């Protein structure tokens, strides 16, 4: 139980890290479409932070993130603030964090299912968070295509990429809808 509560505290910490780093990337890009997508993602991430806090509250947990998690969060912040990474690299780091967040949330939910109904009910708010984080990965994949093509080729990428990203998100939303009904 202590490990589960600590993982939830880690999840909350990195949800804040995701929001902070998305804000930094909004400021770092002059592409209005990318900024718009990041702002929508941040809005969703703020709502998801509330869902994570709700799960923590339902468990009555007072656990703190692990020291290694706090060090990781600090290192990510330093990399995102520094000039060693290109814009593409910074977006790639955000996508990696989003993947980590998605997988951690899915594992927490699975663990709770494995243990008992009370725990499963407590972490139920994570279902929405997990699916939205997965959709955010698709958005970030599209952003990586754009930023990477611009950075590496010095050219604009094929605009059809956004269409395929939107299709991927729609497919995920359809899967979520059928899974929840």
């Amino acid at each position: 139980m202590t490990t589960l509560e600590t993982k939830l505290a880690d999840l909350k910490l990195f949800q804040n890290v995701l929001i902070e780093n998305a804000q930094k990337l909004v400021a770092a890009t002059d592409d209005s479409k990318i900024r718009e997508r990041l702002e929508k993602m941040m809005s969703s991430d703020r709502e998801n932070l509330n869902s994570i806090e709700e799960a923590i509250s339902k468990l009555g947990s007072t656990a703190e993130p692990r020291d290694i998690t706090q060090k990781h969060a600090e290192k990510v912040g330093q990399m995102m603030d520094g000039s060693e990474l290109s814009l593409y690299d910074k977006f790639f780091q955000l996508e990696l964090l989003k993947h980590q967040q998605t997988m951690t949330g899915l594992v927490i939910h699975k663990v709770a299912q494995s243990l008992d109904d009370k725990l499963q009910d407590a972490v139920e708010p994570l279902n929405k968070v997990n699916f939205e984080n997965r959709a955010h990965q698709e958005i970030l994949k599209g952003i990586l295509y754009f930023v990477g093509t611009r950075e590496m080729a010095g050219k604009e990428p094929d605009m059809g990429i956004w269409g395929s990203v939107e299709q991927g998100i729609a497919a995920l939303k359809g899967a979520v809808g059928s899974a929840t009904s």
Side-chain angles (χ1 to χ4, degrees):
M1 191 61 191
T2 302
T3 302
L4 182 69
E5 290 177 3
T6 302
K7 286 291 184 194
L8 272 169
D10 289 352
L11 194 74
K12 179 181 174 183
L13 173 64
F14 268 100
Q15 191 69 20
N16 281 309
V17 170
L18 285 166
I19 293 166
E20 290 167 16
N21 289 319
Q23 288 172 332
K24 292 173 186 177
L25 289 170
V26 164
T29 186
D30 58 359
D31 185 301
S32 62
K33 276 190 180 274
I34 291 174
R35 272 198 315 270
E36 178 184 324
R37 282 172 168 77
L38 286 172
E39 287 168 355
K40 285 181 183 177
M41 192 182 314
M42 283 189 302
S43 175
S44 173
D45 280 343
R46 286 183 186 104
E47 289 176 23
N48 289 339
L49 180 60
N50 291 333
S51 296
I52 293 167
E53 289 171 342
E54 179 184 345
I56 290 170
S57 176
K58 282 183 175 183
L59 286 176
S61 176
T62 58
E64 293 293 321
R66 296 173 299 155
D67 287 341
I68 191 69
T69 305
Q70 291 175 2
K71 288 177 185 172
H72 183 196
E74 289 170 18
K75 186 67 175 171
V76 167
Q78 290 169 356
M79 288 187 329
M80 296 298 269
D81 287 339
S83 59
E84 292 178 344
L85 298 180
S86 69
L87 188 59
Y88 171 80
D89 293 331
K90 290 178 180 185
F91 274 109
F92 200 83
Q93 288 302 309
L94 187 66
E95 197 282 331
L96 288 172
L97 290 175
K98 190 59 86 163
H99 179 77
Q100 176 183 334
Q101 194 75 341
T102 301
M103 291 309 302
T104 300
L106 290 169
V107 170
I108 288 170
H109 191 264
K110 187 54 71 182
V111 167
Q113 279 181 327
S114 301
L115 293 175
D116 70 35
D117 290 341
K118 180 184 172 199
L119 285 175
Q120 185 175 347
D121 289 342
V123 299
E124 191 62 33
L126 294 183
N127 271 339
K128 176 181 162 274
V129 175
N130 295 337
F131 281 110
E132 287 186 5
N133 278 336
R134 181 62 191 99
H136 292 169
Q137 284 180 270
E138 290 300 312
I139 293 166
L140 288 167
K141 182 170 50 171
I143 291 172
L144 283 169
Y145 287 140
F146 270 81
V147 174
T149 302
R150 288 176 182 150
E151 196 171 288
M152 291 179 220
K155 295 182 178 184
E156 288 298 309
D158 177 5
M159 292 303 287
I161 292 171
W162 283 127
S164 62
V165 167
E166 297 300 328
Q167 287 175 341
I169 293 168
L172 279 170
K173 286 182 179 179
V176 171
S178 62
T180 58
S181 57

